Amino acid sequence: NAGVTQTPKFQVLKTGQSMTLQCAQDMNHNSMYWYRQDPGMGLRLIYYSASEGTTDKGEVPNGYNVSRLNKREFSLRLESAAPSQTSVYFCASSDFRGNQPQHFGDGTRLSIL
Amino acid sequence: QKEVEQDPGPLSVPEGAIVSLNCTYSNSAFQYFMWYRQYSRKGPELLMYTYSSGNKEDGRFTAQVDKSSKYISLFIRDSQPSDSATYLCAASSGYALNFGKGTSLLVTP
């Protein structure tokens, strides 16, 4: 029972480098989400995918792109990393958007120098 | 201003105490309410899920929603050191989940 799996767990990048964060869920959920969590800011939604084949912007989408590869996988890409993107990134999934609980992975800790 | 507000704490209590964690929200359309627990360097873990007003109990945990005052509470009875974590409340109208910033709880032996 893996739930939501995120890779990598840790990463250090230099400013301007690109990186893709991977997320996979094995709960047959329709909706998937990417959040970032910063001290004093709480969880902020970057992008979400309500169902396979759709993606939409959340609260803080600038500097990120996403791909819903299939029902299980949802990736987050930083095309040109900036120090302001240093954060802990969480992927989550749920049956449907909105009224269903979201289940989270254990995060990717990303530092950009 | 966030639609769900939560005092960040930290809150420190002795083992065995009753803990009360609270959130307020501003959107009267919210009907679904959740509490998550997050241990250090881990992802949030769902603790309680309630619909509309009322109480829900699960072991030592009780979630309470008062829609008239837009107030969400989580009570922890007989608190244990293993309850030391950050607790996040969340609310939804059925469209998007809105999180509070979390309250840090420390239960001391």
Side-chain angles (χ1 to χ4, degrees):
Chain A
N1 41 330
V4 178
T5 303
Q6 292 184 237
T7 54
K9 294 190 188 308
F10 306 93
Q11 186 70 47
V12 178
L13 293 178
K14 294 181 180 178
T15 299
Q17 287 185 317
S18 61
M19 167 95 193
T20 299
L21 309 185
Q22 306 287 353
C23 174
Q25 53 93 6
D26 63 4
M27 295 172 282
N28 201 36
H29 284 162
N30 289 291
S31 301
M32 297 185 74
Y33 314 83
W34 276 105
Y35 292 88
R36 60 179 291 173
Q37 189 176 42
D38 303 289
M41 302 295 289
L43 284 164
R44 292 184 290 169
L45 184 64
I46 305 170
Y47 271 93
Y48 66 94
S49 170
S51 60
E52 188 178 356
T54 70
T55 60
D56 283 289
K57 296 177 181 179
E59 182 185 353
V60 288
N62 290 345
Y64 305 96
N65 285 298
V66 290
S67 295
R68 183 74 183 267
L69 305 169
N70 48 55
K71 191 171 186 179
R72 289 188 62 246
E73 299 172 289
F74 188 38
S75 64
L76 178 72
R77 183 163 178 84
L78 288 70
E79 289 291 351
S80 178
S84 61
Q85 294 177 305
T86 293
S87 187
V88 182
Y89 291 86
F90 288 102
C91 177
S93 69
S94 68
D95 270 340
F96 292 99
R97 187 163 185 254
N99 64 348
Q100 295 298 311
Q102 295 179 15
H103 300 265
F104 286 80
D106 278 339
T108 294
R109 283 154 184 82
L110 184 61
S111 292
I112 298 158
L113 307 177
Chain B
Q1 185 170 354
K2 287 178 74 72
E3 290 189 282
V4 179
E5 296 287 346
Q6 188 173 9
D7 187 329
L11 180 62
S12 182
V13 301
E15 182 176 357
I18 296 174
V19 177
S20 172
L21 302 168
N22 307 293
C23 293
T24 59
Y25 64 93
S26 56
N27 189 338
S28 57
F30 287 160
Q31 295 189 75
Y32 307 92
F33 304 93
M34 299 160 213
W35 282 95
Y36 287 82
R37 177 176 63 196
Q38 185 176 19
Y39 290 115
S40 180
R41 307 183 82 76
K42 291 288 192 179
E45 165 196 6
L46 181 69
L47 265 183
M48 302 287 279
Y49 172 53
T50 56
Y51 171 70
S52 195
S53 281
N55 292 1
K56 183 173 182 180
E57 188 173 322
D58 184 1
R60 296 185 296 110
F61 298 90
T62 299
Q64 194 172 80
V65 177
D66 182 346
K67 292 188 73 180
S68 63
S69 58
K70 297 188 178 69
Y71 207 74
I72 314 165
S73 300
L74 178 71
F75 299 96
I76 307 174
R77 290 183 298 281
D78 187 26
S79 57
Q80 302 295 310
S82 59
D83 294 328
S84 299
T86 297
Y87 290 80
L88 298 95
C89 60
S92 170
S93 60
Y95 182 64
L97 202 52
N98 298 270
F99 286 91
K101 293 182 180 181
T103 299
S104 175
L105 171 67
L106 177 64
V107 181
T108 56

